[in-house]
Amino acid sequence: MPSTTPIRWNNLHLDIPDRWEVIVKSTHHLIFEKNHKPLFEIRWHAPLKRSRQNRGETIARQLEPGGHYSRQSDSAELFPVHLRNRFSIETYCLENDIEEMVLLLTCKHCGTVVLVRIYRSSAHGLKEFTAVFAALNCHPDSEERVKWQILDIYFSLPAGFDLEHSSFRFGLTTLYFKRGNHTELYLCRLAPASHHLQQSSLAALFHSFSSALPALQTEVDQTTLSYQHVPSLAVHLWSQIRRKKPHQASRFVHFPHHDRILGYSIRSRKPIETWVEEILRDGYGIVQEKEKATGLDA
């Protein structure tokens, strides 16, 4: 069996071969490539309330404008038992290119709809996806649900935070989460760190990320800066009226051996619980060398 890398993104868990690369398109849309060529893409969402009639054909047509997909009634047997046990499977193929395949998966446990587009894979070629599909899970248990892993980073989230949007630009990755209307959380990844540190100090970079003035930052050690702000009672009460988020806890860590900088900043209208900070502080890091050797340094 080839060595695999776990992907943990917004409640969707799967394992991919180490040589594959992942591209995040949105909160519920991932594309997987090998040697810079797309292998398949996957999208998912909560159960639909409207009728499922003709849903598969409609979605398939949206993926390939001008093309026509037809239902393949006997194709489910091509996929591993683990997948068939977890999902009901509808298979569609592009009529003028049967190796272009779309799978419409509906989770038998939670009803989540997962759409998989496979690029040019014959029945024989589907064996390459066996391990990926066998590990596919859209409703991890509560302990696993808080764990995320993408690119070369992993992190854990306190319960109740939802991903609003993300940005994966060259040199800078940012993730934005919200918990209700009272708390927001930003995560960032700077790579390569050496390039950023040639232009600004770690304190200046931390200030740009968290708005914490260098004079107010705490140097935890040579590679770590932190910032904590607890407002006065008057400011706290006034902020409730103005819907501001005066409570803040932020942290910046330089990983010299990985040439990365990771940071988080949480702001809230309410006092930030100690356990929330502990989860963020202890659960955010760089994956081991095997997992990050995917050529994704952007």
Side-chain angles (χ1 to χ4, degrees):
M1 291 292 294
S3 180
T4 60
T5 294
I7 301 296
R8 308 287 183 258
W9 181 257
N10 211 11
N11 290 334
L12 191 80
H13 289 194
L14 67 160
D15 298 332
I16 64 172
D18 286 344
R19 294 189 301 275
W20 289 15
E21 300 174 352
V22 59
I23 297 173
V24 179
K25 297 295 290 184
S26 72
T27 58
H28 294 82
H29 186 189
L30 302 175
I31 296 179
F32 298 91
E33 297 184 343
K34 180 180 178 181
N35 299 326
H36 305 292
K37 294 182 179 180
L39 295 172
F40 78 96
E41 62 180 293
I42 186 167
R43 310 182 194 198
W44 65 101
H45 55 70
L48 295 174
K49 295 181 180 180
R50 63 179 182 272
S51 171
R52 296 179 68 251
Q53 185 176 5
N54 295 326
R55 186 182 63 194
E57 291 90 338
T58 300
I59 295 175
R61 283 198 300 270
Q62 293 173 353
L63 289 179
E64 190 70 27
H68 182 70
Y69 282 85
S70 59
R71 176 81 177 271
Q72 306 297 306
S73 58
D74 298 327
S75 298
E77 297 300 320
L78 297 173
F79 301 97
V81 175
H82 300 79
L83 188 72
R84 302 200 303 269
N85 288 341
R86 292 176 180 171
F87 298 89
S88 61
I89 304 173
E90 298 176 29
T91 307
Y92 300 84
C93 289
L94 194 63
E95 286 192 344
N96 60 358
D97 188 350
I98 61 173
E99 293 185 357
E100 281 275 350
M101 183 178 292
V102 172
L103 307 180
L104 188 65
L105 311 177
T106 304
C107 180
K108 296 178 180 178
H109 176 79
C110 65
T112 294
V113 177
V114 182
L115 186 71
V116 181
R117 180 182 182 182
I118 301 173
Y119 292 86
R120 299 195 59 78
S121 287
S122 63
H124 180 268
L126 287 174
K127 294 179 180 179
E128 186 176 17
F129 299 94
T130 298
V132 177
F133 290 139
L136 184 64
N137 186 6
C138 59
H139 55 273
D141 59 36
S142 56
E143 182 177 346
E144 290 296 317
R145 190 177 300 122
V146 301
K147 298 178 181 179
W148 293 58
Q149 182 169 322
I150 200 76
L151 301 182
D152 59 357
I153 60 174
Y154 66 85
F155 55 93
S156 294
L157 288 181
F161 280 91
D162 296 316
L163 178 64
E164 294 291 312
H165 59 77
S166 60
S167 174
F168 293 80
R169 294 181 292 164
F170 180 79
L172 176 63
T173 296
T174 57
L175 308 174
Y176 173 58
F177 300 85
K178 289 180 66 176
R179 184 166 67 174
N181 294 317
H182 55 79
T183 305
E184 58 186 20
L185 169 65
Y186 287 91
L187 302 181
C188 78
R189 164 188 175 270
L190 283 72
S194 54
H195 173 75
H196 293 278
L197 292 172
Q198 286 175 357
Q199 303 178 51
S200 302
S201 66
L202 188 65
L205 293 171
F206 187 35
H207 172 234
S208 179
F209 171 64
S210 67
S211 300
L213 294 172
L216 300 178
Q217 299 172 13
T218 299
E219 184 176 313
V220 179
D221 53 45
Q222 292 183 340
T223 61
T224 306
L225 297 172
S226 68
Y227 172 73
Q228 190 96 16
H229 180 66
V230 178
S232 65
L233 179 59
V235 171
H236 171 77
L237 295 175
W238 184 244
S239 69
Q240 301 303 304
I241 299 174
R242 301 187 63 191
R243 304 182 69 83
K244 298 293 185 180
K245 301 177 178 66
H247 298 268
Q248 182 178 351
S250 305
R251 195 174 184 89
F252 228 39
V253 183
H254 179 208
F255 295 83
H257 297 299
H258 298 279
D259 204 15
R260 300 287 186 270
I261 295 173
L262 301 183
Y264 70 78
S265 184
I266 182 170
R267 299 171 185 263
S268 181
R269 295 206 302 268
K270 302 178 179 181
I272 300 170
E273 303 96 322
T274 301
W275 63 269
V276 170
E277 288 190 70
E278 290 176 349
I279 290 176
L280 295 171
R281 183 181 65 241
D282 300 337
Y284 195 13
I286 306 292
V287 298
Q288 296 301 310
E289 188 71 20
K290 182 187 79 69
E291 282 85 5
K292 81 183 189 75
T294 59
L296 287 171
D297 287 330

